[in-house]
Amino acid sequence: MTLAVASNPHTSTSHSMVAFEGVTKQFGGRDGQSTFTALDGVDLTVPKGAITGIIGRSGAGKSTLIRLVNGLELPSTGKVLVDDVDVAGLSDAGLRTLRRSIGMIFQHFNLLASRTVYDNIALPLEIAGLDRAAIKARVAPLMDLVGLGDKAGRYPAELSGGQKQRVGIARALATEPKLLLSDEATSALDPETTQSILDLLKTINRDLDLTVLLITHEMEVVKAIASHVAVIDKGRIVENGRTFDVFTQPQHATTQAMLAGLTGSKLPIWITSRLHDSQQGAERVYVRLIFFGATSEQPLVSGLINELGVEVNILAGTIDEIAGEPYGALVVSYPATADILARAEQFFARTGLKTEVLGYGA
């Protein structure tokens, strides 16, 4: 059997799989009068066929956001559209149909201990009323896809955490969804297992053309696989866009704080302790050079040294990849004389090298 993604021929011109339009979600207080606003005026689009990450601290509103997508919660105001369908406007039957088109994987796997790997994956198909032959035709290739073809008769207690999550992923794919929701799906896994699960999600996204919306507080997860990202803070989307753009040029303080150290933005204390904001009387300027796109493959550091004709000290640096694109950052220092500062600015403007003055010091 060939695995396929469910599609809707009437919405093929749409470029978004999920759209939040002015969404607010409030919960009533214990006294029946006071309310808590979990989401506050959210506008967000999840592109079709992409992996989009929603990142935020605990309590920011991430889980509420994802529960609105499959109708487990309904918005207090605004609309949640899934493939152009207003979730809140669906009947009970329509909601059941929608949920079959949305797969869900969880942090703690949610497997049934009394059922084998095969039977856990088959469960949503049994609920949907498929016969045994149809279920087998669907489950067998899914077990191969997630690397569990030899584990059909095993029980969850016999599996590792990574294997349990693979069962959860296969079960989520059983109904041939067009959208996969991941709620902190790697938070309970060790780093090596996390990477294997992320690789699997990338494969599923690519081979099945499946839209993935993942909720996480782990910046490394988003950096590794998400093409798009939205940052949520206190119920508001404070920043969103291409992962590479947001991670390399974060604008909001929440994003900057969460990214500290991930993309070379956090400086060693021995550097920060000697920095101040005033150029007056300073011997050296401390600058972060950021390399990506065309500048990532050019010998710009040696070019800077030749341009300035002075010693340029390299103090810290990182080379990385963000959403499949190369990225590098170096912290350098050089003399803070007016002539050298002017020549450096001309060099940066001419080469397109992005820079950030971190401060001045001895």
Side-chain angles (χ1 to χ4, degrees):
M1 175 189 175
T2 301
L3 292 172
V5 180
S7 62
N8 185 339
H10 301 294
T11 58
S12 59
T13 58
S14 174
H15 296 293
S16 68
M17 177 56 71
V18 182
F20 299 87
E21 299 180 353
V23 171
T24 297
K25 178 62 181 178
Q26 294 180 325
F27 295 96
R30 292 182 179 178
D31 59 6
Q33 296 180 349
S34 61
T35 59
F36 169 70
T37 301
L39 296 175
D40 188 4
V42 170
D43 290 297
L44 181 66
T45 297
V46 177
K48 270 187 179 178
I51 300 179
T52 299
I54 308 291
I55 56 176
R57 300 185 179 95
S58 178
K62 303 187 301 297
S63 293
T64 301
L65 196 72
I66 208 169
R67 288 171 65 85
L68 290 172
V69 176
N70 56 16
L72 293 176
E73 300 284 354
L74 297 178
S76 301
T77 62
K79 287 185 178 181
V80 179
L81 305 175
V82 177
D83 212 6
D84 293 337
V85 174
D86 184 356
V87 176
L90 293 173
S91 64
D92 289 345
L95 199 54
R96 287 193 294 271
T97 300
L98 174 76
R99 287 171 178 163
R100 282 196 293 271
S101 73
I102 300 174
M104 184 90 181
I105 54 177
F106 307 89
Q107 178 180 0
H108 297 298
F109 321 127
N110 288 11
L111 303 181
L112 295 177
S114 61
R115 294 177 70 101
T116 63
V117 166
Y118 181 96
D119 290 336
N120 266 285
I121 298 171
L123 181 60
L125 302 175
E126 294 174 10
I127 294 173
L130 274 67
D131 61 37
R132 291 178 64 181
I135 290 174
K136 183 176 180 180
R138 189 82 59 84
V139 173
L142 281 172
M143 289 194 301
D144 290 335
L145 175 68
V146 300
L148 296 175
D150 60 342
K151 300 287 191 298
R154 298 290 184 89
Y155 289 86
E158 302 175 86
L159 304 178
S160 68
Q163 290 170 333
K164 290 176 184 177
Q165 193 56 282
R166 287 172 181 270
V167 177
I169 291 172
R171 181 184 57 191
L173 298 176
T175 57
E176 296 183 329
K178 55 192 173 186
L179 172 64
L180 180 64
L181 305 179
S182 169
D183 190 2
E184 300 281 7
T186 59
S187 295
L189 304 176
D190 62 72
E192 184 176 353
T193 305
T194 291
Q195 187 57 54
S196 71
I197 294 298
L198 296 182
D199 290 342
L200 175 59
L201 290 177
K202 283 194 288 187
T203 298
I204 290 168
N205 167 252
R206 182 188 67 238
D207 294 352
L208 304 185
D209 192 27
L210 185 65
T211 304
V212 179
L213 177 61
L214 59 91
I215 303 295
T216 185
H217 65 275
E218 299 175 289
M219 311 302 290
E220 285 284 358
V221 169
V222 175
K223 180 170 75 73
I225 68 168
S227 59
H228 296 74
V229 64
V231 183
I232 187 169
D233 183 50
K234 299 176 182 176
R236 295 174 177 265
I237 301 297
V238 296
E239 194 160 0
N240 74 90
R242 293 177 65 246
T243 301
F244 189 88
D245 297 336
V246 172
F247 274 43
T248 56
Q249 302 177 70
Q251 302 299 307
H252 195 273
T254 297
T255 314
Q256 293 167 356
M258 294 187 72
L259 286 170
L262 186 64
T263 55
S265 59
K266 189 174 183 179
L267 296 176
I269 192 169
W270 67 269
I271 294 179
T272 58
S273 63
R274 67 174 67 177
L275 296 181
H276 54 77
D277 295 332
S278 176
Q279 180 181 341
Q280 186 174 1
E283 296 179 10
R284 302 184 72 81
V285 60
Y286 292 77
V287 180
R288 179 183 287 113
L289 312 178
I290 301 173
F291 303 87
F292 57 86
T295 63
S296 63
E297 299 180 0
Q298 299 178 25
L300 293 179
V301 175
S302 59
L304 177 63
I305 294 172
N306 291 334
E307 177 79 16
L308 301 183
V310 296
E311 180 184 78
V312 175
N313 290 347
I314 298 176
L315 304 171
T318 183
I319 298 174
D320 209 337
E321 189 176 89
I322 299 173
E325 298 183 49
Y327 169 87
L330 288 177
V331 177
V332 303
S333 75
Y334 46 84
T337 65
D339 175 60
I340 289 177
L341 291 175
R343 280 193 281 155
E345 285 300 315
Q346 293 171 1
F347 177 81
F348 299 145
R350 187 171 70 250
T351 59
L353 184 60
K354 180 175 172 57
T355 65
E356 178 187 0
V357 174
L358 303 173
Y360 301 86

